[in-house]
């Protein structure tokens, strides 16, 4: 009877749905395997994108065909920023989006379980079903398993739980491509035995060449060096005081906006203390030759210094000092991805750090710093969307490709730096208001006609619309 039950359990009353075979058009065979192949005019659209070193992936993202021009290690801060923190999807998506490395945070529960979690307590990215806030160091695994993740877009709770460190490592191992690495930032202060357990877990799931460590606690890294003589160790210097003050000011201004405060209050902890029990020491600068030498003697040459971008730009000589000792330099930001990018764009290529830890896509970083998707203008598009793509200026933001398509009939696009702009801007006139006519140019865009504005009538402004046979 028991065997019969098992046999019946293995049977299904309905057949499995037939999944249509994915057929890749011959013109797209040389594209990456995740290229989108279905949809109207897909070949023409992909060829138009390829002229800019881009392609449309089946997950809906625009990705780069090659990142060879980007001489920079681009690390996804807590995985893909578009997905919930502490989730397998954030790790998998970052790997699929061709980040060089993925940064995650790990900490210990009360029962000694390593978990993938950033904050010292619940309430922001993860929420207990009771609504009560818990300190991670006082939770057990069965309690951790009851947490729910937040949706980053609207802060709603999701039917997903945060993952353990082992689950994070296993996800990384399953989705990683060659040379991609996992940056494991250790948030808990612990003894050597637990760090040895963590390192063994990483060796078994990912392999020696697939991960490295970072921490704001120098002693933690020193213990790891004794456990693993070969692994890269990144010391995280606390946030620059000015960055902290700007962050605090923004938080005070945004305190009435619950979503904003919820999204940003945790950065004070990352900033190096300033009010949290874990970080009581004042800001300490490690950018001098003497300080870097101390780090190298403690951590070895296969190590690096991870700096707030403000600290880095105010001490640009730190790169040559670090290079003398064989150390790498990474930058992060407490004041947002746009600020981080704006500061990096001010540097020449020789001044750029070895790597950046960002809440942005590899495309955006590479395009803004290296113009990696410069149009070659070798392809003549045939479809409406294809022609729209080839007409887009160099500063078009392909991270917002689908949104841009909504503006193609009006002849507009979304700029990386300045929002919505006109592709073919007419010569501006003072106080001019524009109106689109029904006439269409050779590219399928409406011709813009300026209205005549009469400002010589006192306080009243008279607008005269262009004449039309459809006037009533």
């Amino acid at each position: 009877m028991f065997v019969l039950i098992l046999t019946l359990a293995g049977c299904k009353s309905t057949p499995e749905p037939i999944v249509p075979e994915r057929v890749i058009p011959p013109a797209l065979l040389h594209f990456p395997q995740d290229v989108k192949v279905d949809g109207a005019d897909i070949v023409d659209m992909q060829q138009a994108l390829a002229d800019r070193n881009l392609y449309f992936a089946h997950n809906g993202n625009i990705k780069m065909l090659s990142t060879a021009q980007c001489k920079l290690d681009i690390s996804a801060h807590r995985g893909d920023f578009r997905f919930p923190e502490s989730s397998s999807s954030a790790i998998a998506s970052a790997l699929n989006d061709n980040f060089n490395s993925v940064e995650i945070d790990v900490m210990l529960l009360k029962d000694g379980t390593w978990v993938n979690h950033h904050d010292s307590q619940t309430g922001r990215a993860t929420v207990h079903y009771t609504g009560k806030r818990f300190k991670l160091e006082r939770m057990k695994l069965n309690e951790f398993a009851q947490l729910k993740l937040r949706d980053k877009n609207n802060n709603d709770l999701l039917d997903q739980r945060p993952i353990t460190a082992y689950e994070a490592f296993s996800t990384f191992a399953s989705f990683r491509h060659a040379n991609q690495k996992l940056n494991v930032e250790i948030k808990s202060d612990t003894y050597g035995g637990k760090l040895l357990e963590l390192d063994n877990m990483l060796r078994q799931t990912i392999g020696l060449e697939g991960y490295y460590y970072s921490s704001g606690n120098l002693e933690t890294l020193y213990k790891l060096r004794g456990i693993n003589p070969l692994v890269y160790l990144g010391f995280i210097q606390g946030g620059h005081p000015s960055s902290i003050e700007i962050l605090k000011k923004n938080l005070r201004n945004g305190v009435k906006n619950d979503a904003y405060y919820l999204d940003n209050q945790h950065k004070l902890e990352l900033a190096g203390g300033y009010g949290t029990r874990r970080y009581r020491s004042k800001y300490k600068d490690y950018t001098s030759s003497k300080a870097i030498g101390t780090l190298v003697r403690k951590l070895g040459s296969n190590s690096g210094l991870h700096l707030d971008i403000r600290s880095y730009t105010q001490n640009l000589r730190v790169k040559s000092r670090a290079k003398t000792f064989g150390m790498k330099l990474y930058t992060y930001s407490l004041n947002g991805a746009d600020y981080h990018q704006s500061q990096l764009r001010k540097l020449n290529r020789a001044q750029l750090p070895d790597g950046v830890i960002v809440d942005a896509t590899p495309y955006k970083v590479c395009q803004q710093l290296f113009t990696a998707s410069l149009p070659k203008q070798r392809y003549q598009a045939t479809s409406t969307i294809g022609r729209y793509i080839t007409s887009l200026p160099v500063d078009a933001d392909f991270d917002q490709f689908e949104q841009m398509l909504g503006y193609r009939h009006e002849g507009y696009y979304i700029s990386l730096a300045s929002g919505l702009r006109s592709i073919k801007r007419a010569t501006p006139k003072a106080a001019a208001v524009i109106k689109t006519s029904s006439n269409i140019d050779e590219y399928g865009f409406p011709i813009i006609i300026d209205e005549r504005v009469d400002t010589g009538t006192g306080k009243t402004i008279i607008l005269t619309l262009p004449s039309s046979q459809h006037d009533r």
Side-chain angles (χ1 to χ4, degrees), residues 418-438:
S418 54
L420 195 63
R421 301 185 66 182
S422 171
I423 294 175
K424 292 188 174 183
R425 288 175 294 177
T427 303
K429 295 182 180 181
V433 180
I434 59 174
K435 174 180 179 298
T436 56
S437 78
S438 58

Side-chain angles (χ1 to χ4, degrees), residues 46-290:
Q46 294 286 18
Q47 296 282 26
L49 287 168
D51 189 69
R52 312 173 78 105
N53 188 31
L54 301 171
Y55 72 99
F56 194 16
H58 63 67
N59 65 359
N61 294 339
I62 297 293
K63 297 168 60 175
M64 302 187 69
L65 289 170
S66 172
T67 57
Q69 297 179 47
C70 309
K71 308 299 182 182
L72 197 68
D73 182 82
I74 305 172
S75 185
H77 186 218
R78 292 179 228 162
D80 191 326
F81 66 97
R82 294 164 290 196
F83 288 80
E85 289 179 27
S86 304
S87 68
S88 295
S89 56
I91 297 172
S93 179
L95 292 170
N96 287 331
D97 214 20
N98 296 334
F99 279 90
N100 302 111
S101 59
V102 179
E103 185 263 358
I104 65 169
D105 305 284
V106 298
M107 57 177 54
L108 284 167
L109 299 180
K110 181 179 181 179
D111 60 9
T113 304
W114 285 102
V115 294
N116 178 194
H117 200 274
H118 174 272
D119 297 359
S120 60
Q121 61 181 337
T122 64
R124 182 187 62 87
T126 59
V127 180
H128 196 261
Y129 73 94
T130 62
K132 183 179 177 181
R133 301 189 72 175
F134 289 86
K135 289 185 178 295
L136 267 288
E137 62 185 16
R138 296 179 183 174
M139 295 186 78
K140 295 182 180 180
L141 182 58
N142 64 326
E143 296 170 319
F144 182 80
Q146 296 172 352
L147 297 178
K148 297 291 187 182
L149 296 174
R150 279 193 190 273
D151 187 304
K152 280 194 169 184
N153 296 317
N154 53 29
N155 284 313
D156 289 345
L157 297 187
L158 302 170
D159 190 21
Q160 299 179 43
R161 62 171 178 82
I163 56 178
T164 64
Y166 181 79
E167 289 173 315
F169 302 161
S170 299
T171 299
F172 182 87
S174 298
F175 287 90
R176 72 177 293 221
H177 306 299
N179 300 320
Q180 287 181 314
K181 294 192 175 185
L182 183 66
N183 173 4
V184 181
E185 181 181 340
I186 301 174
K187 309 291 286 187
S188 295
D189 302 338
T190 187
Y191 58 93
K194 295 304 294 183
L195 294 174
L196 177 61
E197 175 189 305
L198 182 69
D199 194 65
N200 283 334
M201 197 189 306
L202 283 160
R203 289 173 185 240
Q204 293 170 12
T205 53
I206 297 175
L208 278 171
E209 300 299 319
Y211 65 92
Y212 61 92
Y213 295 108
S214 60
S215 177
N217 188 313
L218 190 54
E219 289 305 311
T220 295
L221 296 176
Y222 180 64
K223 294 172 187 175
L224 282 167
R225 178 55 75 217
I227 294 169
N228 191 329
L230 301 177
V231 72
Y232 170 87
L233 303 175
F235 175 64
I236 305 171
Q237 177 177 296
H240 190 281
S242 295
S243 298
I244 302 290
E245 289 306 314
I246 292 172
L247 176 59
K248 284 182 176 181
K249 180 180 179 182
N250 290 339
L251 284 175
R252 285 193 293 267
N253 292 337
V255 72
K256 294 181 180 179
N257 182 338
D258 291 339
Y260 177 86
Y261 188 81
L262 196 65
D263 286 340
N264 291 279
Q265 61 176 331
H266 69 284
K267 292 181 180 177
L268 288 175
E269 182 176 345
L270 172 66
Y274 299 88
T276 63
R277 179 175 62 83
R278 184 172 167 229
Y279 297 99
R280 291 295 186 189
S281 59
K282 294 182 179 180
Y283 175 76
K284 187 174 181 180
D285 188 0
Y286 286 87
T287 60
S288 68
S289 294
K290 182 179 179 181

Side-chain angles (χ1 to χ4, degrees), residues 28-48:
L28 303 181
L29 287 173
H30 63 289
F31 280 66
Q33 292 185 350
D34 64 338
V35 63
K36 182 178 175 62
V37 297
D38 57 315
D41 301 313
I42 189 65
V43 172
D44 184 66
M45 183 175 74
Q46 294 286 18
Q47 296 282 26

Side-chain angles (χ1 to χ4, degrees), residues 333-398:
S333 176
L334 297 176
N335 302 135
D338 290 339
Y339 176 75
H340 195 181
Q341 285 284 94
S342 69
Q343 297 307 296
L344 291 170
R345 288 198 303 271
K346 295 177 181 179
L347 307 176
N348 61 49
R349 293 192 180 183
Q351 293 173 324
L352 289 172
D354 298 291
V356 290
I357 304 167
V358 295
D359 294 294
T361 62
Y363 153 73
K364 191 166 187 177
V365 175
C366 289
Q367 176 64 357
Q368 290 193 316
L369 299 182
F370 301 95
T371 322
S373 60
L374 188 69
K376 299 182 181 68
Q377 298 181 333
R378 297 174 182 170
Y379 181 71
Q380 295 295 321
T382 58
S383 67
T384 301
I385 294 180
R387 289 196 299 269
Y388 176 70
I389 292 170
T390 57
S391 72
L392 291 172
V394 176
D395 67 333
D397 186 357
F398 281 91

